[in-house]
Amino acid sequence: MSGAGDREAVFPTRQSLGAMKNKLKGAETGHSLLKRKSEALTKYRAEITRRIDEAKRKMGRVMQIAAFSLAEVTYAVGGDIGYQIQESAKQARFRVRTKQENVSGVFLPQFESYTTEGNNDFGLTGLGKGGQQVQRCRETYTRAVETLVELASLQTAFVTLDEVIKVVNRRVNAIEHVIIPRTENTIKYINSELDELDREEFYRLKKVKSNKQRDNNAAEQEEKASKRRGSDKENADDPGATDILGEQEDQDVIF
Amino acid sequence: MAAPPSAYKDRHFLAVIGDEDSVTGLLLAGIGHVTPPPDAQKNFLVVDAKTENSTIEQAFDNFTQKRKDIAIVLINQHIAEKIRGRVDTYTEAFPAVLEIPSKDHPYDPEKDSVLKRVRRLFGE
């Protein structure tokens, strides 16, 4: 086993080496894309944060004005109108509609306020006196609520964006610190394993060659030796050559 | 990544949890809505000194979790203080929870749950 650290469970073949190299390339492309996305979103979030801050301040001012105009109403009507208003609220005139805005592939919700015409729950409020103030107060509060809706959509966008940025950053980090090193490890492992195989193969070839040579040499030697021995034998036991010196018994000569 | 359209398609209304003046003013703007009977549900809750915290919590949960037609929940900051735990742990995008100032309690950005997150983001 070579290559410290974890790697993917693959067989060290040239094919999987190619696949791993492709994977590494893909991971690097993805990493740079996600990184850019994360940067764009972070920039946008900073922008939203600034706008939230502004809107919160504006809301403080607007709500103050609205509260003041309500106080005017209370004074003009000469009594508390809260109960009457709470009882007569039936159908919302002021409503919101949600749509989505696409920021670098992230859908951010946005609220859009609209008023439905035709129903007016508070037609009789301030009929006796203070009708004008009531009318003005309604207008002021409508503007205040519009500010609130704007703020709410910024805030929702911020929450959503925050979530998305977290996810994207997590992915960027995962690719950078897990997937790329692991793929590199795997490539290293495959390479070393292939080298090992190459060396083995080379050694085997060498061994085969040397064996062959040795065998050849041996065979040559053998041949030479047998040749030499053959000539000796020729000298040694030629059946035609008789002993002249007469080791054999002479045949008796009979006269 | 984006929320499916079903998560916010039907959200049209605003809900209020606040003191009497805030609620009155916002109702004057026309956000008040009562669902048709038999289960007439109001989208506002008036909180005074006698209101129990459990009632506020219940209303908050009702507006944020049970009802599917509310897009924004407005809550007075001093009331949000009472159920701070609930408000801080609420992180959903829909409905959006917005802390608003009231007549007697000026707005304090230090306590706002969203601004807290903003500040935490910048490591302050």
Side-chain angles (χ1 to χ4, degrees), chain B residues 58-69:
Chain B
Q58 206 184 341
F60 184 77
D61 287 349
N62 186 22
F63 291 153
T64 52
Q65 286 156 26
K66 288 205 195 83
R67 290 187 62 166
K68 301 289 176 216
D69 55 350

Side-chain angles (χ1 to χ4, degrees), chain B residues 3-65:
Chain B
S6 58
Y8 56 83
K9 197 89 179 160
D10 300 323
R11 298 186 182 275
H12 290 301
F13 303 119
L14 291 88
V16 202
I17 303 174
D19 59 13
E20 191 171 357
D21 284 341
S22 306
V23 172
T24 307
L26 292 169
L27 289 187
L28 265 180
I31 68 164
H33 191 86
V34 182
T35 52
D39 57 334
Q41 281 185 314
K42 293 173 180 173
N43 66 343
F44 51 90
L45 175 76
V46 177
V47 176
D48 53 29
K50 283 176 288 186
T51 312
E52 302 273 341
N53 280 2
S54 61
T55 316
I56 304 172
E57 276 179 9
Q58 206 184 341
F60 184 77
D61 287 349
N62 186 22
F63 291 153
T64 52
Q65 286 156 26

Side-chain angles (χ1 to χ4, degrees), chain A residues 151-165:
Chain A
L151 183 54
S153 61
L154 283 177
Q155 200 177 299
T156 316
F158 174 80
V159 172
T160 316
L161 202 55
D162 202 34
E163 204 67 28
V164 172
I165 286 177

